[in-house]
Amino acid sequence: AQRVTQPEKLLSVFKGAPVELKCNYSYSGSPELFWYVQYSRQRLQLLLRHISRESIKGFTADLNKGETSFHLKKPFAQEEDSAMYYCALRRDAGNMLTFGGGTRLMVKP
Amino acid sequence: NAGVMQNPRHLVRRRGQEARLRCSPMKGHSHVYWYRQLPEEGLKFMVYLQKENIIDESGMPKERFSAEFPKEGPSILRIQQVVRGDSAAYFCASSLTGATEAFFGQGTRLTVV
């Protein structure tokens, strides 16, 4: 069975500080991992996926198979980054996602 | 393209009533997924449908819950004889194929009183 764990429910940082949102997973197959973001009063949207190896809005995430982690990082947080962040793992076939419990990021001025 | 549309946004039902949640996928999308988010928890997969077919319902409770995606019209998640524990946010997502990005609706918040 697959499982995604986000150990922090809330992360509060000051503007300009580095941010790391933790995500650990357990999965017997070859994982495909994603980060989704939900800004206030908006729908859940894809932020980035590990296979793209891209940087979106300054965020990056590297898949570490040895540590079974996919932490989301940004060197300098902005106030507009305040949102709920969900780490998700895609199951074998199809688009069914297993989500972590989410981390609320608050960036203070 | 209006995106994935869910209605109603908020639904209040008394215990024992039926709840019907609708999801209109993005134009051209024939794959629909339903997720449930209980308070203070992450989204949990319920069911995956493709036009007129249930592909995977491994996350659906065995009783009282059903889903359909007819040839015409929206996908419907139906909960019969609701109980307080059914209170949650229900999200729908759609995708063009089973491998492309899924886009989420804004959810329906069900409250059972």
Side-chain angles (χ1 to χ4, degrees):
Chain A
Q2 58 278 342
R3 189 180 183 91
V4 178
T5 304
Q6 293 179 249
E8 302 139 327
K9 284 195 178 296
L10 173 66
L11 185 62
S12 183
V13 301
F14 285 102
K15 177 182 170 181
V19 168
E20 183 179 52
L21 288 83
K22 292 186 168 49
C23 172
N24 290 90
Y25 68 90
S26 62
Y27 184 55
S28 55
S30 184
E32 189 173 354
L33 285 144
F34 304 82
W35 276 98
Y36 280 81
V37 61
Q38 187 172 27
Y39 300 103
S40 180
R41 294 192 175 83
Q42 294 187 28
R43 60 190 70 201
L44 199 64
Q45 54 188 286
L46 179 64
L47 180 63
L48 53 81
R49 63 188 83 189
H50 91 269
I51 57 172
S52 301
R53 300 189 66 80
E54 59 199 343
S55 173
I56 303 292
K57 298 184 179 183
F59 285 97
T60 59
D62 290 316
L63 179 62
N64 185 324
K65 291 188 179 179
E67 295 183 359
T68 61
S69 67
F70 188 55
H71 303 326
L72 183 68
K73 299 178 185 178
K74 184 168 182 176
F76 307 104
Q78 303 298 315
E79 288 181 69
E80 56 265 31
D81 296 328
S82 296
M84 279 294 295
Y85 291 81
Y86 294 95
C87 182
L89 180 152
R90 186 151 114 178
R91 294 159 59 168
D92 293 306
N95 252 326
M96 293 81 78
L97 297 166
T98 298
F99 284 88
T103 298
R104 180 171 296 282
L105 174 64
M106 289 180 54
V107 182
K108 297 176 286 188
Chain B
N1 197 329
V4 179
M5 302 301 292
Q6 290 187 248
N7 68 81
R9 293 288 310 279
H10 300 274
L11 181 62
V12 179
R13 284 286 176 266
R14 294 185 189 282
R15 281 177 294 170
Q17 290 185 318
E18 179 180 286
R20 278 180 175 248
L21 288 64
R22 294 176 193 76
C23 170
S24 296
M26 286 180 70
K27 190 174 181 181
H29 286 192
S30 60
H31 298 250
V32 164
Y33 315 82
W34 285 93
Y35 291 84
R36 177 166 66 174
Q37 185 177 32
L38 295 170
E40 305 297 319
E41 294 186 17
L43 284 75
K44 289 196 167 38
F45 168 75
M46 298 180 77
V47 61
Y48 165 29
L49 309 105
Q50 197 179 353
K51 282 287 187 182
E52 301 184 273
N53 292 306
I54 295 175
I55 308 299
D56 186 321
E57 55 181 349
S58 57
M60 286 278 269
K62 293 288 182 282
E63 297 175 349
R64 303 187 296 109
F65 284 71
S66 62
E68 63 177 10
F69 189 17
K71 190 175 179 182
E72 302 290 338
S75 175
I76 306 284
L77 180 67
R78 183 179 173 211
I79 312 171
Q80 295 178 289
Q81 299 172 339
V82 295
V83 300
R84 287 234 171 94
D86 297 332
S87 296
Y90 292 83
F91 291 92
C92 168
S94 76
S95 63
L96 189 63
T97 72
T100 50
E101 180 182 347
F103 293 85
F104 281 81
Q106 290 193 292
T108 293
R109 188 163 298 279
L110 172 67
T111 303
V112 179
V113 297

